[in-house]
Amino acid sequence: PAARPSPGLMGRILGRGEAKADEPRRALDDAMLEELEDMLVQTDLGVETALRVTANIAEGRMGRRVSSTELKQLLAAEIARIMAPVARPLPLYPRTPQVVLVVGVNGSGKTTTIGKLASQFKAAGKKVVIAAGDTFRAAAVEQLQVWGQRAGVPVMVAAQGSDPASLAFDAMTRAEAEGADLLLIDTAGRLQNRQDLMEELAKIVRVIRKKDPTAPHNTLLVLDATTGQNALNQVETFRRLADVSGLVMTKLDGTARGGVLVALADRFGLPIHAIGVGEQIDDLDAFDADEFARALVG
Ligand code: GDP
């Protein structure tokens, strides 16, 4: 599970003050920066990003006496600065159907996220079709059908174990015939056999490109916030398997604060299109850099 900063992250460095006026202050020195760095690493920012953040905070401020509140504000501002460029909703293109391939390991929240996205787009007046592309996982297909019903969106399914690429092709045909705005394609998340998965994803892409050479227009990687640092490996792996264009982080409603997103933003700069904040259909929020930074700092 992700390391979690205690509510008083800075309190541990500076001690707790009763009121703002008599808050303890401490000189910003090497020892304090090192403690800060350690805490940021524990918060899943990773060493590189933690170093960069503390260096930026130190710049021009060494020796200055700072309170916990000031330090928190500096830190939140620094993190928000890293996150602001990646806080971008899923772009909508004039070309329809816009094909959104959804990838990620099993259990990350792909199915749920597709259901939530379908519902949001439908509410925004878009015509949506879902393809249950993980044809091997009967449970995932059933789940997706339930989500489709909730969202009022058709779900294309195929016989268990049949070729996901041919389902994707059929779904594309239907989406075109019905004049759908969006086609959301679920995919398998079995990382046990990466070669198979890579070929499966590549074949889906090949086949939908026969219909539209510009598709897929987005490849969304769904990450589970509770896996902490593991998200870095998942991004690296999936970037090798598919042309990942953006991220969704799920399960940010629990104890995990998603500190790894800062490391991800710093390293890959991939847009964060949305965050999952619960198991209900409306529990998908836009990613807000300032809000995220404040919550992370605590
Ligand atoms: P998939 O295997 O990637 O398709 O994952 P699922 O969509 O089936 O999700 C796995 C589990 O995570 C399910 O129990 C979901 O209800 C749960 N889940 C998904 N997104 C969220 C979220 O944002 N918050 C919480 N608390 N649970 C989530």
Side-chain angles (χ1 to χ4, degrees):
R4 180 183 175 210
S6 68
L9 178 71
M10 295 308 130
R12 275 151 61 193
I13 296 182
L14 293 153
R16 269 166 226 282
E18 287 302 303
K20 226 176 160 176
D22 63 4
E23 253 190 321
R25 287 176 176 268
R26 195 178 138 183
L28 231 168
D29 56 13
D30 287 338
M32 194 212 259
L33 288 176
E34 216 168 288
E35 286 172 49
L36 196 54
E37 239 168 68
D38 285 348
M39 264 176 230
L40 293 175
V41 171
Q42 279 170 35
T43 311
D44 282 334
L45 264 69
V47 176
E48 244 174 81
T49 309
L51 280 170
R52 198 177 348 269
V53 168
T54 43
N56 287 348
I57 286 177
E59 206 182 310
R61 296 193 184 88
M62 288 304 274
R64 208 166 102 183
R65 298 183 68 77
V66 293
S67 71
S68 171
T69 307
E70 282 167 351
L71 197 54
K72 269 192 204 176
Q73 280 166 353
L74 289 173
L75 198 51
E78 200 52 50
I79 289 169
R81 209 167 56 88
I82 297 174
M83 303 314 286
V86 299
R88 299 208 298 269
L90 190 74
L92 290 178
Y93 303 108
R95 177 128 191 186
T96 58
Q98 179 167 335
V99 181
V100 182
L101 204 59
V102 182
V103 301
V105 299
N106 290 341
S108 62
K110 281 190 303 291
T111 311
T112 308
T113 301
I114 290 172
K116 292 171 177 175
L117 281 172
S119 167
Q120 284 198 359
F121 285 123
K122 177 114 196 268
K126 303 284 177 196
K127 199 159 182 197
V128 184
V129 172
I130 295 173
D134 189 356
T135 61
F136 280 87
R137 236 172 19 135
V141 173
E142 270 167 37
Q143 242 347 88
L144 216 42
Q145 284 176 306
V146 172
W147 280 113
Q149 262 162 22
R150 281 185 199 142
V153 163
V155 180
M156 296 275 293
V157 300
Q160 186 168 11
S162 62
D163 183 5
S166 89
L167 172 68
F169 188 82
D170 290 347
M172 192 72 185
T173 307
R174 174 166 175 183
E176 282 178 347
E178 292 186 359
D181 300 295
L182 282 140
L183 170 60
L184 308 177
I185 305 178
D186 191 18
T187 63
R190 302 176 305 274
L191 274 186
Q192 295 82 350
N193 192 336
R194 282 175 205 201
Q195 195 57 37
D196 273 3
L197 186 56
M198 188 188 300
E199 280 161 21
E200 186 169 314
L201 293 173
K203 192 169 171 197
I204 293 174
V205 168
R206 253 195 334 269
V207 156
I208 55 180
R209 280 190 182 152
K210 284 188 190 161
K211 293 242 163 211
D212 178 355
T214 67
H217 305 92
N218 314 88
T219 301
L220 275 189
L221 172 60
V222 178
L223 300 166
D224 173 346
T226 66
T227 63
Q229 281 285 298
N230 216 326
L232 279 166
N233 301 331
Q234 286 176 21
V235 173
E236 266 164 11
T237 302
F238 274 96
R239 270 162 53 99
R240 269 180 251 127
L241 301 180
D243 192 10
V244 175
S245 62
L247 307 175
V248 173
M249 178 156 274
T250 64
K251 308 184 197 180
L252 276 171
D253 48 309
T255 53
R257 296 195 192 184
V260 71
L261 282 177
V262 187
L264 288 172
D266 202 25
R267 190 178 305 178
F268 300 106
L270 286 166
I272 302 167
H273 293 314
I275 53 169
V277 293
E279 297 185 87
Q280 304 305 312
I281 202 155
D282 291 328
D283 294 332
L284 188 75
D285 287 349
F287 177 77
D288 182 300
D290 288 318
E291 208 178 286
F292 169 83
R294 275 197 304 272
L296 189 66
V297 170

